Amino acid sequence: MRFHVPSLPHTQVTRSYDWCAYTAKVRRFGGMLARHGHEGIFYCGTEFEGIGEHVPVVYDVDRKRWWPNEVDDSGEWRVEFGFDHWSAAEPCWREMNDRVIEEIRERWQPGDVIALIGGNCQEQIAKAFLTEQPLIIEWGIGYEGVIPYTHHAYESQAWRHTVYAKNGWNDGRHYDTAIPNAYDTEEFTLAEDGGYFLFLGRQIERKGAPIVQQLVDLGYSVVTAGQGEPLHGVEHLGVVTGREKTELLAGATALLAPTLYIEPFGGVTVEAMMSGIPAITTDFGCFTETILNGVTGFRCNTLGEFERAMQLAPSIRG
């Protein structure tokens, strides 16, 4: 089967943009399709490190026009760019969608699949092809704004049922499913324990930053990395991607991921486990599906449980 896969307007599909979880999913999606004998056609920016046909539809001149304050003089994105333009009315989506529609029409073949990653921000694309009666799926769903008439592939069963509840869907939907995100095992490795715990992600309250701060104040050695203001008393590395991220995960005693909201997937915890280190999380959302308590990590509900998990983490590392 052939999948037409529009990406996002604010990133390039390369490892250097893996700080955007959705862009990282797009980058890896082609490999997943290829392993199952399918073909992917990707509509994105000018840079592409995935597997499949690359069709550029967004250029630096577009980004400078859409967000003039977020691009430096060299045309590169500011690492701290906090994308919050999740509305179909935004020019970035409307213009990108128009170009994607035009390019898909040039390549369209009967039996093709349109695979959307932007939810209702990309509904413009879905509507444009309704007369062809294509198979339209939303995949890697970790957002709330799903399109009601598409097929849905959620990141986890926990998030599937959360979205059902938010939409008031009291009955199940046939042909919806949950498919975990794809990863390339060659991007991960194991190293000697570096003696630090790692908090990797947005440095915000809902990601559990206050809990990490409490643990730091209790004397635990924590290294942090990601967007946002650093905590007090930690070594903060800013945004890390590629080889730097791989090595940082591999050398940690364990990953701290004390997310407070219902986590749709929490990809960094899976990356941690693929690096041979345990993930210490809350007991919410997808963690109940991905973290085998006491075996691949620990799911915690109190500060005391987090402390106990940090004490036990070396015993299950590797």
Side-chain angles (χ1 to χ4, degrees), residues 26-43:
V26 172
R27 182 179 65 80
R28 296 189 295 257
F29 191 45
M32 184 176 73
L33 292 176
R35 286 191 292 273
H36 291 276
H38 304 303
E39 177 184 350
I41 305 172
F42 293 84
Y43 305 85

Side-chain angles (χ1 to χ4, degrees), residues 41-314:
I41 305 172
F42 293 84
Y43 305 85
C44 53
T46 56
E47 300 176 32
F48 180 73
E49 292 179 354
I51 296 175
E53 181 181 345
H54 172 212
V55 182
V57 292
V58 176
Y59 302 89
D60 286 341
V61 65
D62 298 316
R63 296 190 173 108
K64 289 179 180 179
R65 177 166 49 85
W66 291 334
W67 307 295
N69 297 325
E70 301 296 348
V71 183
D72 63 26
D73 293 338
S74 68
E76 294 294 325
W77 277 118
R78 301 185 192 283
V79 172
E80 295 293 330
F81 179 33
F83 186 76
D84 59 358
H85 302 270
W86 297 103
S87 168
E90 290 274 358
C92 59
W93 291 107
R94 289 189 287 103
E95 294 179 32
M96 181 179 180
N97 290 342
D98 280 338
R99 297 172 191 175
V100 169
I101 291 167
E102 181 179 353
E103 296 291 347
I104 291 178
R105 288 203 183 281
E106 291 186 7
R107 295 163 176 79
W108 182 260
Q109 297 177 9
D112 284 0
V113 178
I114 296 176
L116 304 178
I117 193 68
N120 53 28
C121 290
Q122 293 177 332
E123 187 173 10
Q124 179 182 349
I125 300 171
K127 288 181 175 179
F129 288 90
L130 288 180
T131 57
E132 284 88 350
Q133 296 184 324
L135 179 60
I136 302 175
I137 66 170
E138 293 178 74
W139 64 280
I141 296 176
Y143 50 82
E144 298 178 17
V146 296
I147 304 170
Y149 54 83
T150 64
H151 296 289
H152 300 156
Y154 297 89
E155 293 180 316
S156 65
Q157 294 289 2
W159 191 245
R160 173 185 186 175
H161 294 115
T162 298
V163 172
Y164 282 11
K166 286 178 175 291
N167 282 279
W169 298 339
N170 295 319
D171 297 321
R173 288 168 41 109
H174 293 300
Y175 303 106
D176 279 4
T177 190
I179 302 175
N181 294 326
Y183 292 89
D184 185 346
T185 57
E186 294 182 359
E187 293 182 4
F188 304 95
T189 188
L190 176 66
E192 294 295 323
D193 189 340
Y196 60 88
F197 293 91
L198 177 63
F199 179 45
L200 177 59
R202 287 174 291 152
Q203 310 289 294
I204 61 174
E205 182 174 356
R206 296 190 74 212
K207 280 290 188 180
I211 295 173
V212 176
Q213 185 67 69
Q214 286 180 286
L215 294 168
V216 171
D217 293 343
L218 289 170
Y220 291 96
S221 176
V222 177
V223 173
T224 64
Q227 294 176 315
E229 292 296 322
L231 304 177
H232 301 294
V234 303
E235 179 185 359
H236 183 66
L237 303 178
V239 173
V240 295
T241 58
R243 175 54 54 182
E244 183 180 9
K245 178 181 176 182
T246 296
E247 294 175 353
L248 190 62
L249 278 166
T253 302
L255 175 81
L256 295 174
T259 307
L260 300 179
Y261 57 82
I262 304 302
E263 181 67 77
F265 192 71
V268 69
T269 62
V270 174
E271 293 174 332
M273 291 183 287
M274 293 183 71
S275 302
I277 68 171
I280 301 173
T281 74
T282 50
D283 204 19
F284 309 140
C286 185
F287 296 147
T288 62
E289 300 173 42
T290 56
I291 308 300
L292 187 57
N293 205 31
V295 179
T296 61
F298 301 90
R299 303 197 307 268
C300 307
N301 287 289
T302 68
L303 185 64
E305 288 182 356
F306 276 104
E307 285 196 83
R308 182 62 174 160
M310 294 172 80
Q311 294 164 5
L312 292 174

